[in-house]
Amino acid sequence: MLQRSNVYTAFHQGYGDLGCFGQSCGIMVADPKKRFRIVQLMHGQFWIGRDESGVAMTLYRRMYWSADKVVRRFGYKNCSYPIQNSYDRGRYDDRYYIWHAIEPRMKRNPSKLDR
C-alpha cells in the first residue's frame, strides 16, 4: 500500500525541509485511487501548535484555491457568498485563501473508532 501511494516521494521532499527548517510537515489524505497520499506542506504556509510536552496538537494551514476547486471539495452550499458568486458567473479560476484547521477534540469518546 505504501508503494502505491506517494509516501516515499513525500518523505524525500521532507528531508530537505529538515535540514533547512528543522522540521517537515505533511498531511495524510484519502485518495480514491491509491487509498491515501501525503500532501507535503510548504514552510510559511502552515503553523503548528504544541502542548507542554512538545507534541504537535494543532495545525493551521493556508491554501490558495480556485473557486472551482473549493466548490468541488466542499460543495456549493458550504461555500461563502463570494465563492458562490464567482462560480455562478463562470469565473472558476478566481482564487481564494482557504484556512484549514486541525485541532484536538477534547470532548471525545476514546472507545469509539473514528472514520
Side-chain angles (χ1 to χ4, degrees):
M1 196 150 23
L2 293 176
Q3 281 182 317
R4 287 184 9 209
S5 73
N6 72 330
V7 168
Y8 298 116
T9 304
F11 285 171
H12 183 71
Q13 290 172 338
Y15 294 145
D17 290 346
L18 290 174
C20 291
F21 302 105
Q23 71 178 22
S24 174
C25 187
I27 297 175
M28 185 180 293
V29 296
D31 185 298
K33 295 179 183 173
K34 300 178 181 182
R35 286 244 161 113
F36 67 89
R37 62 186 165 84
I38 302 290
V39 176
Q40 194 70 24
L41 304 184
M42 290 178 51
H43 283 273
Q45 299 296 312
F46 69 90
W47 297 264
I48 296 174
R50 300 180 185 277
D51 68 6
E52 67 281 352
S53 302
V55 175
M57 299 290 290
T58 304
L59 177 98
Y60 297 105
R61 69 175 172 144
R62 182 178 64 178
M63 303 171 290
Y64 196 53
W65 282 8
S66 69
D68 181 59
K69 187 173 183 178
V70 175
V71 169
R72 282 188 287 115
R73 172 63 176 87
F74 299 108
Y76 180 85
K77 291 182 180 181
N78 296 319
C79 294
S80 66
Y81 174 75
I83 294 172
Q84 289 179 354
N85 190 36
S86 289
Y87 194 82
D88 290 342
R89 292 172 171 232
R91 299 179 59 151
Y92 305 119
D93 292 328
D94 285 357
R95 299 183 75 75
Y96 295 91
Y97 282 108
I98 305 297
W99 288 89
H100 179 201
I102 301 173
E103 299 174 323
R105 188 171 17 147
M106 301 310 229
K107 296 180 181 177
R108 71 177 189 91
N109 184 346
S111 66
K112 288 187 176 179
L113 204 60
D114 285 343
R115 291 185 175 183

Coordinates of all heavy atoms in Angstrom, one line a residue, residues 1-39:
M1 N 0.8 -1.2 0.0 CA 0.0 0.0 0.0 C 0.9 1.3 0.0 O 0.5 2.2 -0.6 CB -0.9 0.0 1.2 CG -2.0 1.0 1.0 SD -3.6 0.7 1.8 CE -3.5 -0.3 3.1
L2 N 2.0 1.2 0.7 CA 2.9 2.4 0.7 C 3.5 2.6 -0.6 O 3.6 3.8 -1.0 CB 4.0 2.2 1.8 CG 3.5 2.2 3.2 CD1 4.7 1.9 4.1 CD2 2.9 3.5 3.6
Q3 N 3.8 1.6 -1.4 CA 4.4 1.7 -2.7 C 3.4 2.4 -3.7 O 3.8 3.1 -4.5 CB 4.9 0.4 -3.3 CG 6.2 0.0 -2.7 CD 6.6 -1.3 -3.3 OE1 5.8 -2.3 -3.5 NE2 7.9 -1.4 -3.7
R4 N 2.1 2.0 -3.5 CA 1.1 2.6 -4.4 C 0.8 4.1 -4.1 O 0.4 4.8 -5.0 CB -0.2 1.8 -4.3 CG -0.1 0.5 -4.9 CD -1.4 -0.3 -4.9 NE -2.6 0.3 -4.5 CZ -3.6 -0.3 -3.9 NH1 -3.6 -1.5 -3.7 NH2 -4.7 0.4 -3.6
S5 N 1.1 4.5 -2.9 CA 0.9 5.9 -2.5 C 2.1 6.7 -2.9 O 3.1 6.2 -3.5 CB 0.6 6.0 -1.1 OG 1.8 5.8 -0.3
N6 N 2.1 7.9 -2.5 CA 3.3 8.8 -2.7 C 4.1 9.0 -1.4 O 4.8 10.0 -1.3 CB 2.8 10.2 -3.3 CG 2.2 11.0 -2.2 OD1 1.5 10.5 -1.3 ND2 2.3 12.3 -2.3
V7 N 4.0 8.1 -0.5 CA 4.6 8.3 0.8 C 6.1 8.5 0.7 O 6.7 9.4 1.3 CB 4.3 7.1 1.8 CG1 5.1 7.1 3.0 CG2 2.8 7.1 2.1
Y8 N 6.8 7.6 -0.1 CA 8.2 7.7 -0.2 C 8.7 9.0 -0.8 O 9.7 9.6 -0.5 CB 8.8 6.5 -0.9 CG 8.5 5.2 -0.1 CD1 7.6 4.2 -0.7 CD2 9.0 5.0 1.2 CE1 7.3 3.1 0.0 CE2 8.7 3.8 1.9 CZ 7.9 2.9 1.3 OH 7.6 1.7 2.0
T9 N 8.0 9.4 -1.8 CA 8.3 10.7 -2.5 C 8.1 11.9 -1.5 O 8.9 12.8 -1.5 CB 7.4 10.9 -3.7 OG1 7.5 9.8 -4.6 CG2 7.7 12.2 -4.5
A10 N 7.0 11.8 -0.7 CA 6.8 12.9 0.2 C 7.9 12.9 1.3 O 8.3 14.0 1.7 CB 5.4 12.7 0.9
F11 N 8.3 11.8 1.7 CA 9.4 11.7 2.7 C 10.6 12.3 2.1 O 11.3 13.1 2.8 CB 9.7 10.3 3.2 CG 8.7 9.7 4.1 CD1 8.7 8.4 4.4 CD2 7.7 10.5 4.7 CE1 7.8 7.8 5.3 CE2 6.7 9.9 5.6 CZ 6.8 8.6 5.9
H12 N 10.9 12.0 0.9 CA 12.1 12.5 0.2 C 12.0 14.0 0.1 O 13.0 14.7 0.4 CB 12.3 11.9 -1.2 CG 13.5 12.3 -1.9 ND1 14.7 11.9 -1.5 CD2 13.7 13.1 -2.9 CE1 15.6 12.4 -2.3 NE2 15.0 13.2 -3.2
Q13 N 10.9 14.6 -0.2 CA 10.7 16.0 -0.2 C 10.9 16.6 1.1 O 11.5 17.7 1.3 CB 9.3 16.4 -0.8 CG 9.1 16.1 -2.2 CD 7.7 16.3 -2.6 OE1 6.8 16.2 -1.8 NE2 7.5 16.4 -3.9
G14 N 10.5 16.0 2.2 CA 10.5 16.5 3.5 C 12.0 16.5 4.1 O 12.3 17.3 5.0
Y15 N 12.8 15.6 3.6 CA 14.2 15.6 4.1 C 14.9 16.9 3.9 O 15.7 17.4 4.8 CB 15.0 14.5 3.4 CG 14.5 13.1 3.8 CD1 14.6 12.1 2.9 CD2 14.0 12.8 5.0 CE1 14.2 10.8 3.2 CE2 13.5 11.5 5.4 CZ 13.6 10.5 4.4 OH 13.2 9.3 4.7
G16 N 14.7 17.6 2.8 CA 15.3 18.9 2.6 C 14.8 19.9 3.6 O 15.6 20.8 4.0
D17 N 13.5 19.9 3.9 CA 13.0 20.8 4.9 C 13.6 20.5 6.3 O 13.8 21.5 7.1 CB 11.5 20.6 5.0 CG 10.7 21.1 3.8 OD1 11.3 21.8 3.0 OD2 9.5 20.8 3.7
L18 N 13.9 19.3 6.6 CA 14.6 19.0 7.9 C 15.9 19.8 8.0 O 16.2 20.3 9.1 CB 14.8 17.5 8.1 CG 13.5 16.7 8.3 CD1 13.9 15.2 8.3 CD2 12.8 17.0 9.5
G19 N 16.7 19.8 7.0 CA 18.0 20.4 7.0 C 17.8 22.0 7.1 O 18.6 22.6 7.8
C20 N 16.8 22.5 6.4 CA 16.7 23.9 6.3 C 15.9 24.5 7.5 O 16.3 25.6 8.0 CB 15.9 24.3 5.0 SG 16.9 24.1 3.5
F21 N 14.9 23.8 7.9 CA 13.9 24.4 8.9 C 13.9 23.6 10.2 O 13.2 24.0 11.2 CB 12.5 24.5 8.3 CG 12.4 25.3 7.1 CD1 12.3 24.7 5.8 CD2 12.5 26.7 7.1 CE1 12.2 25.4 4.7 CE2 12.5 27.4 6.0 CZ 12.3 26.8 4.7
G22 N 14.4 22.4 10.2 CA 14.4 21.6 11.4 C 13.2 20.7 11.6 O 13.0 20.0 12.6
Q23 N 12.3 20.8 10.7 CA 11.1 20.0 10.7 C 10.5 19.9 9.3 O 10.7 20.7 8.5 CB 10.0 20.5 11.7 CG 9.3 21.8 11.2 CD 8.3 22.3 12.2 OE1 8.3 21.9 13.4 NE2 7.4 23.1 11.8
S24 N 9.6 18.9 9.1 CA 8.9 18.7 7.9 C 7.5 18.4 8.3 O 7.2 17.9 9.4 CB 9.5 17.5 7.2 OG 8.7 17.2 6.0
C25 N 6.6 18.8 7.4 CA 5.1 18.6 7.8 C 4.4 18.1 6.5 O 4.5 18.7 5.5 CB 4.6 19.9 8.3 SG 2.9 19.7 8.9
G26 N 3.6 17.0 6.7 CA 2.8 16.5 5.7 C 1.5 16.0 6.3 O 1.4 15.7 7.5
I27 N 0.4 16.0 5.5 CA -0.9 15.6 5.9 C -1.3 14.4 5.1 O -1.2 14.4 3.9 CB -1.9 16.7 5.8 CG1 -1.6 17.9 6.7 CG2 -3.3 16.2 6.1 CD1 -2.5 19.1 6.5
M28 N -1.7 13.3 5.8 CA -2.2 12.2 5.1 C -3.7 12.4 4.7 O -4.5 12.7 5.6 CB -2.1 10.9 5.9 CG -2.5 9.6 5.2 SD -2.3 8.1 6.2 CE -0.5 8.1 6.4
V29 N -4.0 12.2 3.4 CA -5.4 12.4 3.0 C -5.9 11.2 2.2 O -5.1 10.5 1.7 CB -5.6 13.7 2.1 CG1 -5.2 15.0 2.9 CG2 -4.7 13.6 0.9
A30 N -7.2 11.0 2.2 CA -7.8 9.9 1.4 C -7.6 10.2 -0.1 O -7.6 11.3 -0.5 CB -9.2 9.8 1.7
D31 N -7.4 9.1 -0.8 CA -7.2 9.2 -2.3 C -8.0 8.0 -2.9 O -7.8 6.9 -2.5 CB -5.8 9.1 -2.7 CG -5.5 9.3 -4.1 OD1 -6.1 8.5 -4.9 OD2 -4.8 10.2 -4.5
P32 N -9.0 8.3 -3.7 CA -9.9 7.2 -4.3 C -9.1 6.2 -5.1 O -9.5 5.0 -5.1 CB -10.9 8.0 -5.2 CG -10.3 9.3 -5.4 CD -9.4 9.6 -4.3
K33 N -8.0 6.5 -5.7 CA -7.2 5.5 -6.5 C -6.2 4.8 -5.7 O -5.9 3.6 -5.9 CB -6.6 6.2 -7.7 CG -7.6 6.8 -8.7 CD -6.9 7.5 -9.8 CE -7.9 8.1 -10.7 NZ -7.3 8.9 -11.8
K34 N -5.5 5.5 -4.7 CA -4.4 5.0 -4.0 C -4.7 4.7 -2.5 O -3.8 4.3 -1.8 CB -3.2 5.9 -4.1 CG -2.8 6.2 -5.5 CD -1.6 7.1 -5.6 CE -1.2 7.4 -7.0 NZ -0.1 8.3 -7.1
R35 N -5.9 4.9 -2.1 CA -6.3 4.8 -0.7 C -5.9 6.0 0.1 O -6.7 6.5 0.9 CB -5.8 3.5 -0.1 CG -6.4 2.2 -0.5 CD -7.1 1.7 0.7 NE -8.1 0.7 0.5 CZ -8.0 -0.5 0.8 NH1 -6.9 -1.0 1.3 NH2 -9.0 -1.3 0.6
F36 N -4.7 6.4 0.0 CA -4.2 7.6 0.7 C -3.0 8.1 0.0 O -2.4 7.5 -0.8 CB -3.9 7.3 2.2 CG -2.7 6.4 2.4 CD1 -1.5 6.9 2.5 CD2 -2.9 5.0 2.5 CE1 -0.4 6.1 2.7 CE2 -1.8 4.2 2.7 CZ -0.5 4.7 2.8
R37 N -2.7 9.4 0.4 CA -1.5 10.0 -0.1 C -1.1 11.1 0.9 O -1.9 11.5 1.8 CB -1.7 10.6 -1.5 CG -2.7 11.7 -1.6 CD -3.0 12.2 -3.0 NE -4.2 12.9 -3.1 CZ -4.3 14.2 -2.9 NH1 -3.2 14.9 -2.5 NH2 -5.4 14.8 -3.0
I38 N 0.1 11.6 0.7 CA 0.7 12.6 1.6 C 0.7 13.9 0.9 O 1.2 14.0 -0.2 CB 2.1 12.2 2.1 CG1 2.1 10.9 2.8 CG2 2.7 13.3 3.0 CD1 1.4 10.9 4.2
V39 N 0.2 15.0 1.5 CA 0.3 16.3 1.0 C 1.4 17.0 1.8 O 1.3 17.2 3.0 CB -1.0 17.1 1.1 CG1 -0.8 18.5 0.6 CG2 -2.1 16.4 0.3

